[in-house]
Every structure is written in structure tokens, then in C-alpha cells.
């Protein structure tokens, strides 16, 4: 059943919020559990829709998966099926993370081309090229990527772009390959570090996680482990921008503030006071935000997943902001919905210029992806009247207890059936 959020404008957010484990990490960790026979337990998992979706993918491969609140327990059998079911995979992009583990463990993989957010083309070319350099053959057949390898071997691999997904699939294939793999221009995101930390706990030999060069020495076998998922920097960043947009005061815990260095710096430039702690931060805004320019880049640059929040803040800032999107070409479809709310925006290719207005006006808007949906909710908090955000299942895929946490901070948001 489709649901919508009814967001009342004019509320200031204030209070404390704790973030759970990262969506962009837990799904890849669940896939990595395929690499070792036995029981892998993940703690601090977010209670979002994508976790049971990944459970369905793993169950289709022969695993049994128990979800108990924020704890996910995965029982991986001695024999794993290499066929990832289309119905399970097509619903979300992260399902492609099973490709590397399946090739490493089974010597073959049949993974239906994944679905997910409507934010632009995300081809698997670099995934396939990396696996081919490790000794696999790959091709697209009947809507699935097919990979086969009698024996994976180490290789020197240089990515054209620091793709997170390609980095993950190459690492999870290389850990059981014969010899050394050197991956250059690798993604540096904290979620990559989290994956490598878990793989090392399973017995993998990996150096350089968090840098642009990762070195993997293959081992013959991995063992299951227990692991705590890293905090979700995108959810934490959303709360930071919520404080700035509503001229509020929010303390966020459960996140290393260094994972949000640039987004927090941008909020400071917009006029907010930011205090950082060992396991969190506080954002206070006592004035109308100032206009700030943004350009999205791979970590440690400004995250593309926080671009909608930056646009929402810029829409009500004093002055003109220019936002440049360098990662996903279709992400600016969110701007059309912001303009429905009264944002003064002009799109030119992968740039958008926003002349801030003092207040937005409520209307009906539609989520096209997880982060766009969250950005529209934040915009609704500073719009006159009641804004209706449709297709909120996208938001539920990435934000646990979003409505409840908003209301605990002083918002007035209701969930309703369409």
C-alpha cells in the first residue's frame, strides 16, 4: 500500500537523535557473509526496508537470515546457489553486491540487473572489467550479469572512477583469489573501510582501506564473524541539515564526525554553530542560512546523497547558491519538486542555481529516490501550510523511524495511506 507523509511547516527542530548503522554498509556486509560457511552476526543494523530485501536475496541463494531489531544473523551453507533471483534483486541497487562473493565462493554468478533509485545510469562496466582482470569471464544475458571463473587470480586493477560498488565487488572477489590484487583509484568511503574491517575479521588480508590504493592478498578460506555496522553518515548529515534549515538545535550521536567533515564545514559557512564530539556532533542555527556553493564528489568530497539536503537549505538561504552534481546525472529531477514548493531554481546541465526565498509554500510533491524524499520532507518543514510527500516507501528504504524521530524533535509529520 502506498503511503504519504503530511508535513506541517513552521516547526523548529530541537533535541537529540541517535543514528543506526549505515544503509550503504549493512547491505554489503550481508552480501559478504556469503564468503564464509557458518553464522555471521551483524549488530547496529538499521531497521529499514532494504535490509529485509537483502535477506530475500540471500535466502534465494540458500542462506537462512534472522532479523531481530538491529541484529541480523546470517547462516551461510556449505553449498551456495550462484543464481540471484530477479524478483528479489530488481527492487534495489545494492543487491549487485552479491556478484563478487558469488564468483569467489561458487566460481560463477548469475545476478539479475538490479533496480533501485531513479538517479541516473549506474552501469556495471567497472564491476565486470575488474572481475575479468581477476580471471573471470562476464557478459549480460537475459537481463542478468553472468560471471564464471575456474580460479580467480590476483591482478593490478585501476578504476576509471572511484566507484563504491565496483570497489566492493572487486575486493570481495579478490579476498579468495590466488595471489595479490592491487586496486588503484579505489573508493575511499567509510563504508569501504567498514567492509574491509569485517573481511579482515573473517581472515582476509587487506591493506590500504580508506586510501585510493587497496592491496589484497588472497587466502584459501574465510571464517564467519561478528561485526558492528558503522554509523550512517548520510542519515546523520540529514539531521545536521534539518537543524540548519529549521533554525533549530540538534545533537546527533552514533557517528564519527570526521565522516562528515565537508558537509559540517558547509553548514558552518551557512551560519550554523557546529560542535563535534568523539561519537557525534551538535548543530545550532539562530539565523536565516547564508547561501553556499556545493559540488558533489566521491569521499572525502561532498556526498551526492546529501545533495538534496543542500538544495533544500539553499532554497531558503539568503543569496544565490550554485550546486554542481558530478556523480549522478539524473539527480536534479528533485529540483522540479522543489520548484513546486516555490524554490527559485534554474538548472543548466549538471549545475543548478538557487536564489533563496524567505519561505516556501506547501503543495503535493513526489519522492523519486531515498534522499530526494528526505530532502522534500525537510523543505516541507519550512513551507507555509501542509506539504504532502508521496511515494515515501523510498524514504523508508533508507531512514529508520523517520517520522517518529522527526516528531520527537518537535516536527508535526503524519504518515497516511494514499
Amino acid at each position: 500500500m502506498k503511503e504519504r507523509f503530511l508535513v506541517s511547516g513552521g516547526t523548529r527542530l530541537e533535541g537529540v537523535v541517535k543514528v543506526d548503522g549505515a544503509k550503504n554498509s549493512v547491505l554489503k556486509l550481508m552480501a559478504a557473509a556469503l564468503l564464509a560457511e557458518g553464522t555471521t552476526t551483524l549488530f547496529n543494523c538499521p531497521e529499514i526496508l532494504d535490509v529485509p530485501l537483502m535477506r530475500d536475496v540471500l535466502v534465494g541463494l540458500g542462506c537462512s537470515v534472522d532479523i531481530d531489531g538491529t541484529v541480523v544473523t546470517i547462516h551461510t551453507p556449505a553449498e551456495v546457489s550462484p543464481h540471484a533471483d530477479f524478483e528479489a534483486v530488481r527492487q534495489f541497487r545494492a543487491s549487485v553486491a552479491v556478484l563478487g562473493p558469488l564468483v569467489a565462493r561458487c566460481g560463477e554468478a548469475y545476478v539479475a540487473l538490479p533496480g533501485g533509485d531513479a538517479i541516473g545510469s549506474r552501469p556495471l562496466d567497472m564491476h565486470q572489467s575488474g572481475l575479468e582482470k581477476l580471471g573471470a569471464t562476464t557478459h549480460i544475458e537475459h537481463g542478468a550479469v553472468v560471471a564464471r571463473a575456474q580460479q580467480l587470480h590476483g591482478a593490478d586493477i585501476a578504476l576509471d572512477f572511484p566507484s563504491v560498488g565496483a570497489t566492493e565487488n572487486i575486493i570481495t572477489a579478490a579476498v579468495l583469489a590466488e595471489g595479490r590484487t592491487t586496486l588503484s583509484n579505489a573508493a575511499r568511503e567509510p563504508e569501504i573501510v567498514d567492509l574491509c574491517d569485517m573481511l579482515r575479521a573473517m581472515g582476509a588480508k587487506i591493506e590500504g582501506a580508506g586510501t585510493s590504493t587497496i592491496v589484497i592478498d588472497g587466502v584459501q578460506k574465510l571464517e564467519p564473524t561478528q561485526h558492528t555496522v558503522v554509523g550512517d553518515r548520510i542519515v546523520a548529515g540529514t539531521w545536521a541539515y534539518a537543524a540548519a534549515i529549521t533554525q533549530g538545535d540538534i545533537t546527533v550521536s552514533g557517528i564519527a564526525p570526521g565522516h562528515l567533515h565537508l558537509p559540517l564545514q558547509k553548514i558552518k559557512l551557512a551560519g550554523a554553530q557546529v560542535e563535534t564530539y568523539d561519537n557525534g556532533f551538535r548543530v545550532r542555527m539562530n539565523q536565516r542560512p547564508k547561501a553556499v556553493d556545493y559540488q558533489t564528489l566521491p569521499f572525502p568530497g561532498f556526498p551526492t546523497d546529501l545533495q538534496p539536503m543542500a538544495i533544500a537549505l539553499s532554497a531558503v538561504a539568503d543569496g544565490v547558491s550554485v550546486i554542481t552534481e558530478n556523480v549522478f546525472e539524473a539527480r536534479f529531477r528533485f529540483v522540479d519538486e522543489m520548484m513546486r514548493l516555490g524554490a527559485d531554481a534554474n538548472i543548466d546541465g549538471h549545475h543548478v542555481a538557487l536564489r533563496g526565498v524567505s519561505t516556501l509554500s506547501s503543495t503535493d510533491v513526489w519522492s523519486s529516490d531515498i534522499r530526494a524524499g528526505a530532502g522534500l520532507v525537510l523543505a516541507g518543514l519550512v513551507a507555509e501550510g501542509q506539504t504532502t510527500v508521496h511515494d515515501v516507501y523510498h524514504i523508508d528504504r533508507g531512514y529508520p523511524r523517520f517520522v517518529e524521530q522527526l516528531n520527537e524533535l518537535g516536527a508535526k509529520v503524519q504518515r497516511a495511506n494514499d
Side-chain angles (χ1 to χ4, degrees):
M1 181 179 294
K2 286 191 174 183
E3 294 181 314
R4 64 187 188 275
F5 291 165
L6 308 177
V7 184
S8 296
T11 57
R12 178 178 186 268
L13 301 190
E14 184 175 4
V16 178
V17 63
K18 181 182 181 302
V19 299
D20 295 321
K23 167 193 177 293
N24 290 335
S25 188
V26 65
L27 306 175
K28 321 304 176 61
L29 300 175
M30 292 175 70
L34 291 166
L35 289 164
E37 178 186 352
T39 301
T40 295
T41 305
L42 301 175
F43 301 98
N44 195 38
C45 299
E47 296 182 73
I48 55 175
L49 289 182
D50 274 11
V51 170
L53 288 177
M54 182 58 89
R55 173 195 59 197
D56 293 344
V57 173
L58 296 182
V59 168
L61 297 171
C63 301
S64 60
V65 182
D66 299 317
I67 301 175
D68 183 7
T70 60
V71 179
V72 175
T73 305
I74 303 161
H75 308 277
T76 303
E79 297 290 334
V80 174
S81 168
H83 294 265
D85 177 69
F86 172 77
E87 284 302 316
V89 169
R90 70 178 179 86
Q91 300 182 69
F92 66 123
R93 177 71 186 184
S95 57
V96 78
V98 302
L99 180 61
L102 287 179
V103 176
R105 184 83 192 280
C106 307
E108 58 181 337
Y110 305 80
V111 181
L113 294 175
D117 292 332
I119 56 177
S121 174
R122 295 190 278 183
L124 299 182
D125 297 10
M126 284 186 284
H127 301 245
Q128 292 178 254
S129 175
L131 292 177
E132 287 169 1
K133 289 179 179 177
L134 293 172
T137 61
T138 74
H139 64 278
I140 304 296
E141 178 181 292
H142 302 303
V145 58
V146 180
R148 295 187 180 92
Q150 287 189 339
Q151 174 62 59
L152 294 175
H153 55 74
D156 291 334
I157 303 171
L159 295 178
D160 294 334
F161 177 85
S163 160
V164 172
T167 298
E168 291 162 340
N169 266 325
I170 292 168
I171 291 172
T172 52
V175 290
L176 292 180
E178 200 173 73
R180 170 169 288 189
T181 297
T182 301
L183 179 59
S184 304
N185 200 26
R188 300 163 57 187
E189 274 73 1
E191 295 80 20
I192 297 290
V193 177
D194 198 32
L195 173 63
C196 290
D197 286 345
M198 176 172 147
L199 290 170
R200 278 195 292 261
M202 296 170 73
K205 296 180 179 179
I206 304 172
E207 295 181 357
T211 75
S212 58
T213 301
I214 299 176
V215 179
I216 306 111
D217 288 308
V219 298
Q220 291 188 342
K221 185 181 179 182
L222 296 177
E223 301 293 336
T225 191
Q226 297 184 349
H227 181 80
T228 300
V229 183
V230 70
D232 197 316
R233 63 193 171 98
I234 304 303
V235 172
T238 300
W239 293 123
Y241 274 79
I245 288 169
T246 65
Q247 298 183 36
D249 182 351
I250 299 178
T251 298
V252 181
S253 65
I255 183 70
H259 294 171
L260 283 168
H261 176 74
L262 189 53
L264 293 179
Q265 285 297 112
K266 291 290 186 180
I267 289 178
K268 280 185 182 180
L269 291 174
Q273 297 173 283
V274 179
E275 301 173 47
T276 59
Y277 314 108
D278 289 342
N279 191 42
F281 57 84
R282 180 183 182 184
V283 174
R284 288 177 287 174
M285 179 69 91
N286 299 315
Q287 59 187 343
R288 183 182 177 187
K290 303 170 187 174
V292 177
D293 293 339
Y294 300 84
Q295 61 171 323
T296 66
L297 288 168
F299 188 87
F302 191 87
T304 182
D305 280 353
L306 286 179
Q307 181 244 81
M309 300 12 143
I311 288 176
L313 180 64
S314 300
V316 294
D318 184 9
V320 176
S321 304
V322 176
I323 291 91
T324 302
E325 175 57 52
N326 294 308
V327 181
F328 293 126
E329 75 275 9
R331 196 137 224 177
F332 279 158
R333 68 178 58 192
F334 162 77
V335 178
D336 292 336
E337 298 304 302
M338 286 296 301
M339 292 170 70
R340 292 170 59 83
L341 289 168
D344 183 355
N346 181 38
I347 301 173
D348 182 10
H350 63 118
H351 308 279
V352 59
L354 289 115
R355 186 180 302 276
V357 297
S358 58
T359 188
L360 299 171
S361 57
S362 59
T363 189
D364 284 42
V365 290
W366 280 261
S367 307
S368 57
D369 66 78
I370 297 169
R371 311 308 172 184
L376 290 170
V377 171
L378 298 196
L381 293 173
V382 290
E384 291 180 344
Q386 186 178 80
T387 297
T388 302
V389 181
H390 297 271
D391 293 341
V392 297
Y393 66 89
H394 286 297
I395 302 172
D396 291 334
R397 288 182 48 224
Y399 289 86
R401 297 185 62 251
F402 195 48
V403 170
E404 292 82 358
Q405 289 185 320
L406 281 165
N407 290 336
E408 288 166 6
L409 293 170
K412 297 178 182 178
V413 182
Q414 302 175 52
R415 183 188 292 268
N417 294 331
D418 272 346

